[in-house]
Amino acid sequence: MQKTAIGEAARWRAAARRMLHAEATEAQLGLTLCFVAGAINAGGFLVVGQYTSHMSGIVSAMADHLALGMGTLAAAGLVALLSFMAGAAHSAWLINFGRRLGWRSRFALPLLVEAALLLCFGLMGALLDSQVVAIPVVPLLCFLMGLQNASITKISGARMRTTHVTGIVTDLGIEIGKLFYWNRAGDALPGPLVRADRAKMRLLGGLLGCFALGGLVGAVCFAWIGLAACLPLAVVLLVLANAVIPSDGA
């Protein structure tokens, strides 16, 4: 009986080790980061009334504010833009620094930084007055989104973006156009037939769905518990960083 219990405990420990050290594929990484980005973007809007994961709207708003003579709002947009850029630069610096030192965990470093900042921000939101914590919300979230977007860009070789869906929807539309294209047998033009990449379509659809699902979950959680909703997102990133560490040694 005792041997059976020891053997069962050993099997559980082995399963736990496999779970903790399971490698994340690019697709799994992209899907999870899209969920996190959607949640942060929706949460930021609920807190300060502004989306923070894509810069197109921020740059357009800056132009509008300048045209209307609203210099303070234009300056705030510039801070958000520079924060996003600083996050992307920080990610590139961390990954290149880790590569120079030969660290297998170089791709996990930006995710760990993002998780740590979200953890600190979530604790501040849970312990401090919301009006005080709301002041640095936009620059911090823009920094996090720049950090995350640059990280997945480096990991995937610029094949995936996770903080905005414009490119995802565009690529998905291109593949849908290929899917419904009629290849006629009598076409005079040489070359291969037009075929949709169905695997790519599934990935793009998954990324889009995860961003939308993250936005829904993030909106509900931020409306319910406020900035403390950053805490579970930080845990997700910590788990994801752990999954990246053994898979980035190439």
Side-chain angles (χ1 to χ4, degrees):
M1 186 72 178
Q2 185 178 5
K3 290 183 179 179
T4 303
I6 294 175
E8 187 68 21
R11 283 194 293 272
W12 276 105
R13 287 195 297 269
R17 283 195 296 270
R18 286 194 299 271
M19 184 177 297
L20 285 174
H21 297 289
E23 297 186 13
T25 65
E26 276 186 17
Q28 292 168 339
L29 186 64
L31 292 170
T32 307
L33 289 180
C34 266
F35 177 88
V36 172
I40 292 176
N41 200 37
F45 182 80
L46 285 179
V47 173
V48 293
Q50 180 175 330
Y51 293 116
T52 57
S53 71
H54 49 83
M55 294 296 104
S56 301
I58 288 178
V59 173
S60 296
M62 286 172 56
D64 291 340
H65 293 147
L66 285 174
L68 296 173
M70 301 177 180
T72 302
L73 292 177
L78 179 61
V79 171
L81 178 66
L82 293 177
S83 297
F84 190 98
M85 193 179 302
H90 189 60
S91 173
W93 190 92
L94 287 173
I95 292 173
N96 289 319
F97 181 72
R99 180 183 292 114
R100 187 176 73 182
L101 297 182
W103 291 349
R104 295 182 64 238
S105 58
R106 60 186 181 273
F107 289 127
L109 291 176
L111 298 180
L112 290 173
V113 171
E114 183 178 359
L117 290 174
L118 276 177
L119 183 63
C120 293
F121 201 52
L123 290 173
M124 290 170 58
L127 300 175
L128 301 179
D129 185 81
S130 59
Q131 293 182 346
V132 176
V133 183
I135 296 174
V137 165
V138 173
L140 175 60
L141 294 186
C142 284
F143 180 88
L144 291 177
M145 291 295 92
L147 184 79
Q148 177 179 305
N149 206 38
S151 300
I152 191 62
T153 299
K154 296 282 285 185
I155 292 171
S156 69
R159 290 189 298 272
M160 283 190 287
R161 301 287 196 276
T162 60
T163 64
H164 53 278
V165 298
T166 303
I168 294 173
V169 173
T170 301
D171 292 341
L172 187 57
I174 290 172
E175 294 304 323
I176 291 174
K178 292 179 181 179
L179 181 66
F180 289 100
Y181 182 78
W182 178 28
N183 291 287
R184 295 187 301 174
D187 284 346
L189 294 177
L193 298 178
V194 177
R195 300 292 188 193
D197 188 338
R198 295 175 184 267
K200 184 178 180 181
M201 290 179 68
R202 288 193 293 270
L203 175 60
L204 292 170
L207 294 173
L208 180 61
C210 283
F211 191 94
L213 179 61
L216 176 62
V217 173
V220 172
C221 291
F222 274 86
W224 182 31
I225 58 176
L227 293 171
C230 292
L231 295 176
L233 296 177
V235 174
V236 171
L237 288 171
L238 286 173
V239 174
L240 195 61
N242 177 77
V244 169
I245 289 174
S247 65
D248 66 0

